[in-house]
Amino acid sequence: MYTSIQSHRYLLQFSIKPSVQRTAVMEYLLKNRTHPTIDEIYLALSPTMPTLSKTTVYNTLNLFLERGAVQQLVIDEKNARYDVDTTSHGHFICKSCGKVYDIFNLSPALFELPKNTGFNVHAVEISYSGVCNECHQN
Amino acid sequence: MYTSIQSHRYLLQFSIKPSVQRTAVMEYLLKNRTHPTIDEIYLALSPTMPTLSKTTVYNTLNLFLERGAVQQLVIDEKNARYDVDTTSHGHFICKSCGKVYDIFNLSPALFELPKNTGFNVHAVEISYSGVCNECHQN
DNA sequence: TAATAAATTTGTATCTGTTACAATTCAGTA
DNA sequence: TACTGAATTGTAACAGATACAAATTTATTA
C-alpha cells in the first residue's frame, strides 16, 4: 500500500515540492486507480482535510500535469480525469455509468506515433467506449 | 460541392426529417470538414439565418449523433466537436492553436475492437496531440 | 380551405466544470 | 523573531451544455 511518505518521495521525483495538500492528492491518486475527476478527489479528501479548497485541487493537478506526474484523460465529455499511470495503455468508458477502466494488453504498435503526418505528434490516446458488464445486465 | 439538396438527401438516408435548420447544419458539416464546435457552426450560419438559435444547433447535433449521421469527437477539453466522416480515421489536435486535423492512412488494425476485455466495446477513438507545423514555426 | 394536432424551433434560465484573482496563510531564511 | 516568497483559499466570473416553457412551423384531418 502507498503511504504518505511514499507519495512524498514520488512527488520529489518529478521536482514537485511536497506540500501537505499535494502529498494528499498524490497519495489518493496512487491508491485509487479509478481515473478520478477533480470533484471526486476533492470530495474524498475534504472530510479529513476540512480546509482543503477545490481550487487547490485544480492547481495541484495542473502542476502534476506540467511536471509529467500524471496524465490527463480526455475521454469523458463532462470532466477531466487523471491517471498516475503514464505508461502506454488504453481506456474504456462506459456510456451508461460513466466509469473509466484501464485496458492493458493492447499491442504496443497501437501506441506508436505516426510519421510523415505533417505534425509534431507528442502523444496518443486510445479510447474505447461502450457498456460495461455491470450496466449491461441491468 | 455540396448543395442544399444533397444535404437534404443525406439527412433522409439517416431517417432525419430535413427541416431548414437541419439541412443548413448538415450542409455546413459536409462542406467544412474542420470538426467544428457548436459555436463555430452557430456563428457561421447565423448571419444568413438570423433567427437561428444556438439551442437548435445543440438539438440538431444531438439528433444527428443519435441517428449516426455524425460522430462526436472527445479530443478537445473545451468543446465537443463533430465529424460527418464516420469511417475509421484518427485525429490530431494542436495544443497550441486548438485545430483538429484528420489522420488518414493509419493501419486498419488500430481500429479493431479489443476482445475479452470484459466490456461491450462499441467504438474506438484514436487521438494524437502535439503542435502543428504552422504553430511550430512561429 | 379551415381547424386541429404534432413536431420543431426559440429564448431564457439554470447548471456545472473550470479559471481568474486578490486576500490570507504557510514555510523557509536571515 | 521578522521578513520574503510560495502555496492555499474563497469568491467571483466565465463558458459549454441542458432544461423547459412559449412560440412558431409543419402535418393531418374534417
Side-chain angles (χ1 to χ4, degrees):
Chain A
M1 268 297 97
Y2 284 95
T3 64
S4 161
I5 296 160
Q6 285 176 293
S7 310
H8 190 281
R9 284 201 204 110
Y10 197 85
L11 290 178
L12 289 175
Q13 290 178 359
F14 293 93
S15 311
I16 297 166
K17 199 195 282 185
S19 69
V20 177
Q21 290 85 346
R22 289 171 182 173
T23 305
V25 170
M26 182 50 84
E27 189 180 351
Y28 181 81
L29 289 173
L30 289 169
K31 281 182 176 168
N32 302 85
R33 305 299 184 110
T34 55
H35 322 92
T37 64
I38 294 285
D39 214 55
E40 285 168 354
I41 298 168
Y42 173 73
L43 289 175
L45 298 182
S46 61
T48 52
M49 224 181 184
T51 68
L52 182 67
S53 163
K54 201 181 278 189
T55 300
T56 300
V57 184
Y58 274 101
N59 292 340
T60 300
L61 268 297
N62 284 334
L63 178 66
F64 288 4
L65 206 54
E66 270 176 32
R67 300 289 161 86
V70 300
Q71 182 188 9
Q72 188 182 42
L73 304 186
V74 184
I75 187 176
D76 178 344
E77 303 132 65
K78 307 286 177 192
N79 325 290
R81 291 176 170 276
Y82 298 89
D83 193 344
V84 266
D85 185 349
T86 57
T87 62
S88 289
H89 65 285
H91 294 98
F92 171 86
I93 184 166
C94 173
K95 289 292 187 184
S96 176
C97 67
K99 283 201 196 108
V100 174
Y101 301 87
D102 287 309
I103 298 201
F104 298 112
N105 303 323
L106 290 172
S107 159
L110 296 182
F111 298 96
E112 284 168 18
L113 302 182
K115 303 284 177 193
N116 307 320
T117 56
F119 309 114
N120 305 279
V121 184
H122 299 153
V124 207
E125 200 172 334
I126 298 186
S127 308
Y128 300 96
S129 59
V131 180
C132 73
N133 278 348
E134 279 179 40
C135 289
H136 191 63
Q137 62 196 23
N138 296 336
Chain B
M1 267 298 97
Y2 285 94
T3 65
S4 160
I5 295 162
Q6 284 176 295
S7 310
H8 191 280
R9 284 203 204 108
Y10 197 85
L11 290 178
L12 290 175
Q13 290 178 1
F14 293 94
S15 310
I16 297 166
K17 198 194 281 184
S19 70
V20 177
Q21 290 84 347
R22 289 169 183 172
T23 305
V25 170
M26 183 49 84
E27 190 181 351
Y28 182 82
L29 289 172
L30 288 169
K31 281 183 176 167
N32 303 84
R33 306 297 185 109
T34 54
H35 321 93
T37 63
I38 294 285
D39 214 56
E40 285 167 355
I41 298 169
Y42 172 74
L43 289 175
L45 298 182
S46 62
T48 52
M49 224 179 184
T51 67
L52 183 67
S53 163
K54 200 181 279 189
T55 300
T56 300
V57 184
Y58 275 102
N59 292 341
T60 300
L61 268 297
N62 284 334
L63 178 66
F64 288 3
L65 206 55
E66 268 177 33
R67 299 290 160 85
V70 300
Q71 182 188 8
Q72 188 181 45
L73 304 186
V74 184
I75 188 176
D76 179 344
E77 302 132 66
K78 307 286 177 191
N79 325 292
R81 292 176 170 276
Y82 298 90
D83 194 343
V84 267
D85 185 349
T86 57
T87 62
S88 288
H89 65 285
H91 293 98
F92 171 85
I93 185 166
C94 172
K95 290 291 187 184
S96 175
C97 66
K99 283 201 196 108
V100 174
Y101 301 87
D102 286 310
I103 299 202
F104 298 112
N105 303 322
L106 289 172
S107 161
L110 296 183
F111 298 95
E112 285 168 16
L113 302 182
K115 303 285 176 194
N116 307 320
T117 56
F119 309 115
N120 305 279
V121 183
H122 299 153
V124 206
E125 200 172 333
I126 299 187
S127 307
Y128 300 96
S129 59
V131 179
C132 73
N133 278 348
E134 279 178 41
C135 290
H136 190 62
Q137 63 197 24
N138 295 336

